[in-house]
Amino acid sequence: MSGHLAVVGLGPGDARWLTPEAQAALDAADALYGYGPYLDRVSVRPGQSRHPSDNREEMRRAAAALAHAAQGARVVVVSGGDPGVFAMAAEICEAIETGPPAWRALDVTVVPGISAMLAVAARAGAPLGHDFCALSLSDNLKSWDVIERRLDAAANAGFVIACYNPVSRARPWQLASAFARLRRHLPGTTPVIFGRAVGRTDEAVTVTTLDGADASGADMATLVIVGSHATRVIARPGRPLVYTPRAATEASA
Amino acid sequence: MSGHLAVVGLGPGDARWLTPEAQAALDAADALYGYGPYLDRVSVRPGQSRHPSDNREEMRRAAAALAHAAQGARVVVVSGGDPGVFAMAAEICEAIETGPPAWRALDVTVVPGISAMLAVAARAGAPLGHDFCALSLSDNLKSWDVIERRLDAAANAGFVIACYNPVSRARPWQLASAFARLRRHLPGTTPVIFGRAVGRTDEAVTVTTLDGADASGADMATLVIVGSHATRVIARPGRPLVYTPRAATEASA
């Protein structure tokens, strides 16, 4: 089968985070699929077809892209950030597993990108400098009970926590509930970072504490990083530096 | 203070993973610091000084780079992968916190890069498609007991685990011990990925199971990803696809 499908990470908003490999994959595509606002970030090349879809239609988008590739086209599915982290690469795999057997013979590649947590962490200093986890706070696809158990486990074991999908219009209370849950395990002084729209012109990064963290400060474009016992804040002119030392103290474990 | 220091992520070995922002920071540098093999990947520009050091000298390197920047130079410290994940950004922050007060006034930026776990995951499919953690198996800077507690917590809570620093000449037994520990919590059929030297000419990615995982197959250039209960393997021509679905089953929690 001659078709080819690449799942391409665009990185967060800044074009300077688009890797040469991702740019080459976009340039070579016959057809581009993705969430509309992500596709809008890709420069138009004559002869390429574009297939924007809504952000609730990932499985349908994956199946449409695979069907298109199976016709022999070079198809790209774009993701913001990295396609392997809470994004389209898993949807494509799931569509392949559950779809027509011929899709397994397609040439499929995943082109990594700068994930949002890496970009937010870079702006703040090095909060992910030691053991950490990435956790989606969306309870669309798992129960809130599972999320609470994972918050408990991560905080108690000393992991810094990068929270993806902290809020949406349909999920207004989850982030505040997560902060309340984490306050059972972590000191109120634990550093918390809100990174909104990092790499875009409306970027806003703020550093606060677990006690001071206000969930209403987050929206769908926000990634929230909650430190561990070991995470430190360095006061300096302008925004402080936040980092987690590589040497773990026993208190952080 | 006019000095500037950038901590720059080169990504894994492939130059096509070097972002335009990282390339621009390298081009603008007066001086480059880093582990020798990483510096060797950066093309030489006349007039730049180079300061290679050994991989056990991170704190000394960080202090030297900051002292150089404090003299007014544009200094770059390079990391393989992403500088914020078990790498130089945390060392620079720690050196700032413990160093001369003047260093806090330096203009410091962190330039994110493709972290090894994202590159290995991309080669395998989407094993990090759902909640996951990144854990260093090095017990140079924390006790093995802390590492075991984190392995227990992560596996029991349903996180996929990306293991950084799985082995070194001085740490020969840790990865086998980690596999043994994880077998207490996870089925023997749990997918395990060994990603060695991804992006380099000697790249080798293998997919096995927790029961079949042989720690002697890893070296210092290897990143190991251990799946969760939910991680799936899709047989197909060539290497299988490994992915973790976004919808968690209760069994995976």
Side-chain angles (χ1 to χ4, degrees):
Chain A
M1 190 173 289
S2 64
H4 178 268
L5 186 139
V7 196
V8 173
L10 302 179
D14 192 326
R16 295 176 307 157
W17 288 334
L18 183 73
T19 69
E21 185 189 33
Q23 185 65 61
L26 296 172
D27 291 345
D30 299 316
L32 296 167
Y33 286 75
Y35 176 46
Y38 295 151
L39 276 187
D40 291 344
R41 288 167 45 193
V42 179
S43 53
V44 175
R45 204 206 64 186
Q48 282 181 335
S49 65
R50 283 174 179 248
H51 308 266
S53 46
D54 192 71
N55 64 353
R56 294 287 190 114
E57 296 181 0
E58 285 95 348
M59 272 310 287
R60 211 177 313 165
R61 179 192 307 149
L66 285 160
H68 198 154
Q71 294 167 16
R74 290 192 74 82
V75 173
V76 160
V77 178
V78 300
S79 273
D82 178 80
V85 176
F86 306 115
M88 285 304 297
E91 299 287 338
I92 292 291
C93 290
E94 187 167 348
I96 289 171
E97 187 176 25
T98 56
W103 287 1
R104 298 189 182 213
L106 281 170
D107 183 13
V108 173
T109 58
V110 178
V111 177
I114 304 292
S115 187
M117 66 182 168
L118 303 185
V120 171
R123 291 292 199 248
L128 307 181
H130 194 56
D131 302 332
F132 65 91
C133 66
L135 177 63
S136 171
L137 296 189
S138 170
D139 56 352
N140 290 337
L141 297 171
K142 61 188 167 190
S143 71
W144 184 251
D145 179 60
V146 167
I147 295 169
E148 287 194 330
R149 284 168 53 198
R150 291 183 181 167
L151 289 167
D152 293 347
N156 278 324
F159 289 100
V160 172
I161 306 172
C163 301
Y164 281 75
N165 308 314
V167 306
S168 74
R169 265 162 295 189
R171 294 180 293 103
W173 55 264
Q174 282 79 348
L175 180 60
S177 185
F179 285 148
R181 190 82 184 186
L182 291 171
R183 287 185 193 110
R184 298 187 187 183
H185 309 291
L186 296 168
T189 54
T190 302
V192 175
I193 299 154
F194 285 66
R196 188 184 172 281
V198 166
R200 300 190 339 215
T201 52
D202 52 342
E203 169 175 327
V205 177
T206 56
V207 175
T208 180
T209 61
L210 189 53
D211 270 354
D214 176 1
S216 70
D219 65 10
M220 285 179 66
T222 306
L223 181 118
V224 176
I225 297 177
V226 179
S228 72
H229 284 91
T231 305
R232 302 184 59 78
V233 176
I234 310 173
R236 57 170 195 158
R239 197 167 60 218
L241 280 174
V242 184
Y243 80 105
T244 308
R246 296 171 77 188
T249 57
E250 288 305 308
S252 76
Chain B
M1 189 173 291
S2 65
H4 179 269
L5 186 140
V7 196
V8 173
L10 302 179
D14 192 327
R16 296 177 307 157
W17 288 334
L18 183 73
T19 69
E21 184 189 35
Q23 185 64 64
L26 296 172
D27 291 343
D30 299 316
L32 297 167
Y33 287 75
Y35 176 47
Y38 295 151
L39 276 188
D40 291 343
R41 287 167 45 192
V42 179
S43 53
V44 175
R45 204 208 64 187
Q48 281 181 335
S49 64
R50 284 175 178 247
H51 309 266
S53 46
D54 192 71
N55 64 354
R56 293 287 189 114
E57 297 180 0
E58 286 96 346
M59 272 310 286
R60 212 178 312 167
R61 179 192 307 148
L66 285 159
H68 198 155
Q71 293 167 16
R74 291 192 73 83
V75 173
V76 160
V77 178
V78 300
S79 274
D82 179 78
V85 175
F86 307 114
M88 285 304 297
E91 299 288 338
I92 292 290
C93 290
E94 187 167 347
I96 290 171
E97 187 177 26
T98 57
W103 287 0
R104 298 188 183 212
L106 282 170
D107 183 13
V108 173
T109 57
V110 178
V111 177
I114 303 293
S115 187
M117 65 182 169
L118 302 185
V120 172
R123 291 293 198 246
L128 307 181
H130 194 55
D131 302 331
F132 66 92
C133 67
L135 177 64
S136 171
L137 296 190
S138 170
D139 55 354
N140 290 336
L141 297 171
K142 61 187 167 189
S143 71
W144 185 251
D145 180 60
V146 167
I147 295 170
E148 287 194 331
R149 284 168 54 198
R150 289 182 182 168
L151 288 166
D152 292 346
N156 278 324
F159 289 100
V160 172
I161 306 173
C163 300
Y164 281 75
N165 308 315
V167 305
S168 75
R169 265 162 296 186
R171 294 180 293 101
W173 55 264
Q174 282 79 348
L175 180 60
S177 186
F179 285 148
R181 190 82 184 186
L182 291 171
R183 288 184 192 111
R184 299 187 187 183
H185 309 290
L186 295 168
T189 54
T190 303
V192 174
I193 300 154
F194 285 65
R196 189 186 171 279
V198 166
R200 300 191 337 215
T201 52
D202 52 342
E203 169 175 327
V205 177
T206 56
V207 176
T208 180
T209 62
L210 188 53
D211 270 353
D214 176 1
S216 70
D219 65 10
M220 285 180 67
T222 307
L223 181 119
V224 176
I225 298 177
V226 179
S228 72
H229 285 91
T231 304
R232 301 184 60 78
V233 176
I234 310 173
R236 58 171 194 157
R239 197 167 60 218
L241 280 174
V242 184
Y243 80 105
T244 309
R246 295 172 76 188
T249 56
E250 288 306 307
S252 77

